[in-house]
Amino acid sequence: DLHVGALRALAHGFAQVRLAEAIVAWRHGREADPVARIADRDDGHYDVVVIGAGPAGLAAATQARRQRLSVGLLEARGAGGLLRQADRVENYLGVDACSGTELVARFVAHAERAGVQIRRARADLVALGADGRIRITLEDDRIVHGRAVILATGSRPRHAGIDGEAGLAHRRLFYGVRELIESSPTSGDVLVVGGGDAAVDQAIQLRRRGWCPILVVRGDRLRALPLLRDRVEALGIEVRRHAVLT
């Protein structure tokens, strides 16, 4: 059987390659052992359990289904991960420029055509059982079993590090544009902290939705791509430099 380390997929492009290599080795071993097949695929027992339905997790689950493996794809919030925050995706070869949510919808549709079903659940603990099977304990204490697990949990937004941040989080301080828009019924002034691609992209998205974003950066310039900086200037988005968060 495969173990957790053999299928640890934490990066976008490597998820498919590592999974494919691991599955080849595993399938050779399984062909001679028909008992290894699990009869009931609906009771929480899978060949492969993928934790996280971002781009890497969706790709890994799709490739596993193409290998005729049963797949349990667990996602705590919503498919797509941070890609859902993107205003426009313009650097994905073969795909015309579209919003992050549009691209996520295409990814999900592709995965579903391959037979992947996303299960809304949060994994709290991954452990190797005495029987050699991997046990994933969910938030509601249910148990999901798998012969292999792929960790595609993505990344977490960086915290601001200001006093009282915990009390402000998800009420007046947000870690993504979608969370802000869904939480606030009206537009207004909003500080966007950061000068990289993600921060600038989200400021542009807010501006186009009628908000008045102000980019706050610690340095003397934006670090985002030139084309994003051009859009900031064209949209008249204010940039405050040499800022200190308190």
Side-chain angles (χ1 to χ4, degrees):
D1 290 348
L2 292 176
H3 296 292
V4 177
L7 286 174
R8 188 175 179 83
L10 299 178
H12 300 293
F14 292 110
Q16 298 182 41
V17 176
R18 290 179 180 175
L19 176 61
E21 292 175 348
I23 285 174
V24 169
W26 184 27
R27 284 174 62 86
H28 286 322
R30 288 183 62 215
E31 295 302 330
D33 183 13
V35 180
R37 291 195 174 276
I38 301 169
D40 188 352
R41 302 302 184 187
D42 298 323
D43 63 356
H45 291 264
Y46 301 95
D47 291 324
V48 180
V49 177
V50 182
I51 301 177
L58 286 166
T62 300
Q63 293 300 325
R65 286 295 301 137
R66 285 168 54 83
Q67 295 286 345
R68 298 294 188 267
L69 300 174
S70 63
V71 178
L73 178 55
L74 309 179
E75 171 56 47
R77 292 180 293 274
L82 293 181
L83 180 57
R84 292 182 300 160
Q85 307 281 359
D87 177 47
R88 288 180 67 78
V89 180
E90 301 170 294
N91 60 348
Y92 198 90
L93 291 177
V95 177
D96 291 336
C98 62
S99 70
T101 53
E102 290 174 324
L103 189 55
V104 168
R106 297 182 191 181
F107 287 171
V108 171
H110 190 148
E112 289 177 342
R113 286 195 298 271
V116 174
Q117 292 184 341
I118 302 174
R119 186 169 175 176
R120 189 67 175 266
R122 181 186 299 276
D124 276 355
L125 178 66
V126 178
L128 187 64
D131 59 355
R133 190 178 301 280
I134 299 170
R135 295 163 51 92
I136 299 94
T137 304
L138 306 183
E139 189 176 34
D140 59 2
D141 293 331
R142 288 180 298 160
I143 303 294
V144 173
H145 299 268
R147 290 185 171 277
V149 63
I150 298 175
L151 303 179
T153 51
S155 60
R156 294 181 179 179
R158 182 183 302 174
H159 287 191
I162 60 176
D163 293 338
E165 180 171 355
L168 296 172
H170 314 299
R171 296 191 301 111
R172 296 185 61 189
L173 190 153
F174 303 92
Y175 300 102
V177 64
R178 289 182 61 85
E179 183 184 15
L180 168 60
I181 293 171
E182 292 169 358
S183 299
S184 180
T186 58
S187 59
D189 294 342
V190 57
L191 298 179
V192 180
V193 180
D197 291 349
V200 172
D201 180 87
Q202 294 191 38
I204 292 170
Q205 186 175 170
L206 286 168
R207 185 63 150 182
R208 288 174 173 164
R209 290 174 174 265
W211 292 70
C212 296
I214 301 171
L215 279 163
V216 177
V217 298
R218 295 183 176 88
D220 58 358
R221 63 185 180 86
L222 297 177
R223 296 177 287 103
L225 290 170
L227 66 87
L228 293 178
R229 297 201 300 266
D230 290 344
R231 290 173 187 168
V232 166
E233 185 175 350
L235 291 170
I237 297 175
E238 180 182 352
V239 180
R240 296 186 182 178
R241 299 170 175 82
H242 304 293
V244 178
L245 299 178
T246 59

